[in-house]
Amino acid sequence: MAAILVKHRVLVLGSEHFVAARVVQALSASDWATPVPFTGPPATLSEAHLKGIHSVFNGTLGRPDAILRHAQALYGALERSGGGARAVHLSSMTVYGTRSGEVVETTALRSDLGAYGAAQVAAESLAVRYPRSVILRPGCEYGPDCPQWSERIAQLLCSHRLGDLGAAGDGVCNLLYVDDMVEAILKSLNAPDIDGACFNLAMRSPPTWNEYLTRFARALGAVPVSRIGARRLKFEARLVAPPLKILEMIERRLGRTRAVPPAITPSLLNLCSQNITLVSRKAEKGLELTWTPFYEGVRRAAAAFKRAPVAC
């Protein structure tokens, strides 16, 4: 008699956001796992939700308070349940703060990039206390349907509000193609002997932000690529960004999307000039990962955006 395959049950937090939603899709399509999305308020997460669960993916994104509340609820419930399930915790490169140069997983963390980075550091401090946690620190995820680092950037390039930023764009762009990110998450849920590990996730030999922006603009057909000077960037970040962010918040509350142009925020410009490189050799070896080539990832991201209702 053939053995009956018992599928791995994975509790997924944050499935209302695009990364966790992609993980749910990938788990559903696999032959080894069944996703169990958790969509309730953090305070309602309890040991009962962990019954029969083999592993948990915490893909909570968004507001700093939501990130921290979900981490508190999850690791409290895991501790009370006896700690049988592995927890894969999606963090962020923002935990390295304003550091420059190469950073590895043992580099000391900093909370000097504002509320979002501080929340990620605090959430990691909870995750690291749980013996069966695996922490992932991705760079800038890009590719089809990635709202932050592809769709928003594409809108700004098509409107010629971004382009070649000169010295302001000479920072390192730690890109991570979205399919590579999902593969790393799935392997972290199921790989043996990685409890307690932490992995940086970003492509090798990353481009500068200017290289990413100009190549993406050409792939989108947003040519000639605009040269954006320091005075214009300062105007965007100081005067244009604040009202756009307010309108964006109102738009979200009304359940609308893409009506308000994206803002060029001071945090975006700081990132574009930051000379920080995520070293991901540990993930390449421990999770057996390879990275989608830069040119191919940009081509796919541009093709997806051009198919969207709002394109260049």
Side-chain angles (χ1 to χ4, degrees):
M1 181 181 295
I4 298 174
L5 176 65
V6 178
K7 284 196 171 185
H8 195 104
R9 287 171 53 81
V10 182
L11 184 66
V12 179
L13 278 65
S15 57
E16 67 275 20
H17 300 294
F18 85 103
V19 174
R22 290 284 292 265
V23 170
V24 168
Q25 292 174 353
L27 289 170
S28 298
S30 75
D31 60 1
W32 61 271
T34 299
V36 183
F38 175 80
T39 57
T44 65
L45 180 62
S46 69
E47 305 93 289
H49 294 100
L50 296 168
K51 187 175 181 180
I53 294 296
H54 297 85
S55 58
V56 182
F57 172 58
N58 182 13
T60 306
L61 299 174
R63 294 175 58 86
D65 56 342
I67 290 169
L68 192 51
R69 285 201 308 268
H70 274 94
Q72 291 167 336
L74 171 61
Y75 296 109
L78 284 166
E79 183 178 356
R80 292 190 298 271
S81 71
R86 173 177 292 171
V88 175
H89 180 90
L90 187 66
S91 185
S92 164
M93 66 175 285
T94 57
V95 298
Y96 294 116
T98 57
R99 291 192 178 278
S100 60
E102 293 189 344
V103 292
V104 296
E105 291 81 359
T106 54
T107 300
L109 307 186
R110 287 183 177 176
S111 299
D112 59 354
L113 275 181
Y116 182 83
Q120 292 287 12
V121 172
E124 272 204 27
S125 71
L126 298 171
V128 77
R129 295 175 200 163
Y130 179 63
R132 297 212 64 204
S133 69
V134 176
I135 296 172
L136 304 179
R137 295 174 182 160
C140 299
E141 67 282 345
Y142 79 113
D145 306 318
C146 290
Q148 184 79 345
W149 303 116
S150 284
E151 292 185 345
R152 177 177 68 146
I153 297 297
Q155 288 177 273
L156 290 167
L157 290 170
C158 288
S159 62
H160 295 278
R161 293 170 60 207
L162 281 184
D164 184 340
L165 306 184
D170 283 341
V172 178
C173 185
N174 293 279
L175 292 174
L176 173 64
Y177 189 67
V178 63
D179 289 354
D180 300 340
M181 184 180 194
V182 172
E183 180 185 7
I185 293 166
L186 264 61
K187 287 184 173 180
S188 298
L189 289 166
N190 202 27
D193 304 321
I194 61 168
D195 287 348
C198 177
F199 298 105
N200 287 340
L201 300 176
M203 65 181 293
R204 276 201 185 193
S205 303
T208 65
W209 276 95
N210 279 333
E211 289 168 338
Y212 175 49
L213 294 172
T214 55
R215 183 181 284 268
F216 198 10
R218 292 187 181 113
L220 290 163
V223 291
V225 178
S226 300
R227 179 65 183 264
I228 313 296
R231 181 177 297 178
R232 182 172 166 185
L233 290 174
K234 186 181 293 185
F235 173 78
E236 283 271 10
R238 293 186 178 179
L239 298 178
V240 179
L244 285 180
K245 293 303 289 184
I246 292 171
L247 290 172
E248 188 179 286
M249 291 170 59
I250 296 172
E251 181 183 59
R252 281 200 300 266
R253 289 176 183 173
L254 296 175
R256 300 174 184 172
T257 57
R258 283 196 169 185
V260 177
I264 298 176
T265 60
S267 61
L268 172 60
L269 296 183
N270 289 338
L271 183 60
C272 288
S273 62
Q274 187 177 2
N275 186 25
I276 181 173
T277 302
L278 267 65
V279 177
S280 299
R281 288 188 289 271
K282 183 178 176 183
E284 293 171 5
K285 183 178 180 180
L287 298 176
E288 298 181 347
L289 297 174
T290 57
W291 312 112
T292 298
F294 172 48
Y295 64 87
E296 180 62 20
V298 170
R299 184 192 68 78
R300 294 178 190 173
F305 186 80
K306 287 191 284 189
R307 291 193 297 269
V310 180
C312 286

